[in-house]
Amino acid sequence: HALKRDLPSGRQVRLRGRYSDDRVVLLDNRVHEGRVGYEVLMRFTLTDGRSVVVNRGWTPAGMDRQDLPSPAAPAGELAIAGVVYRPPGAPLLLGENLSSDGGWPRLAQVVSLPAFEALWGVELLPVRVRLMARAPGALVTDWPVVAVPPERHLGYAVQWFGLAAALLVLILYSGFAHRGSR
């Protein structure tokens, strides 16, 4: 599939282009099999000139948090395979998102396309691509699958409204029972 702005999350895509440079952004505080590390994000420039954020996968953190990993990406024009990823909601950010020490790689708490556009000086497509395991440049790519169907949310809503209704009935009963005992 060609990369379009409106592709749904989970759609597999094949892209041709190149990793744009060595200006890597590391998503901080990522854990894989009990080990602390980072997800490695890079800009991938398609052959038509458009750019997209590619998540190459997880890499372990070193013993010193000041010594950040920067796994090299393959050079030249490549064909990569990945999956479109759209986060389920707006991320919660409690502080500054991007480290601003001027060096590379940079640390980020969340993916913010406007911040990455400013950082990389280019307009980005409003999607992210997570590499598949055998794609050139892929690291550890055991992406967690979050599959909660809408019916489950409806079930939780009915359950909580039922509990609220039961509580209201108990409160009303208690009030009338207390009033009748006077």
Side-chain angles (χ1 to χ4, degrees):
H1 297 280
L3 192 60
K4 298 177 186 172
R5 294 176 178 271
D6 59 349
L7 283 177
S9 194
R11 176 68 60 98
Q12 289 187 15
V13 292
R14 295 196 185 285
L15 308 175
R16 181 164 289 283
R18 62 181 61 233
Y19 290 104
S20 296
D21 52 36
D22 59 352
R23 293 187 289 172
V24 173
V25 176
L26 301 173
L27 275 182
D28 203 1
N29 303 314
R30 300 304 192 257
V31 178
H32 177 71
E33 296 181 353
R35 292 192 60 203
V36 177
Y38 310 93
E39 287 180 16
V40 178
L41 305 175
M42 292 186 75
R43 181 169 57 106
F44 191 80
T45 302
L46 305 171
T47 55
D48 65 8
R50 298 178 302 160
S51 292
V52 64
V53 174
V54 170
N55 188 328
R56 293 179 50 207
W58 181 87
T59 192
M63 297 302 288
D64 183 0
R65 291 251 320 147
Q66 303 304 317
D67 185 25
L68 297 174
S70 187
E77 189 170 305
L78 306 162
I80 63 172
V83 175
V84 171
Y85 176 71
R86 294 180 186 274
L92 176 63
L93 186 60
L94 299 176
E96 184 180 330
N97 183 31
L98 282 168
S99 64
S100 56
D101 62 4
W104 295 95
R106 297 272 179 95
L107 285 178
Q109 301 303 313
V110 298
V111 176
S112 164
L113 291 181
F116 286 17
E117 287 176 334
L119 183 66
W120 288 329
V122 65
E123 184 179 342
L124 297 166
L125 288 168
V127 296
R128 297 187 311 209
V129 174
R130 288 177 162 179
L131 287 184
M132 296 175 81
R134 289 192 162 83
L139 302 167
V140 177
T141 59
D142 318 354
W143 304 114
V145 176
V146 179
V148 179
E151 295 80 21
R152 189 164 187 184
H153 294 293
L154 180 61
Y156 285 138
V158 169
Q159 176 184 355
W160 284 107
F161 280 115
L163 288 172
L167 182 61
L168 180 62
V169 167
L170 286 173
I171 290 171
L172 291 174
Y173 175 77
S174 174
F176 285 123
H178 187 273
R179 194 182 284 174
S181 65
R182 285 185 184 178

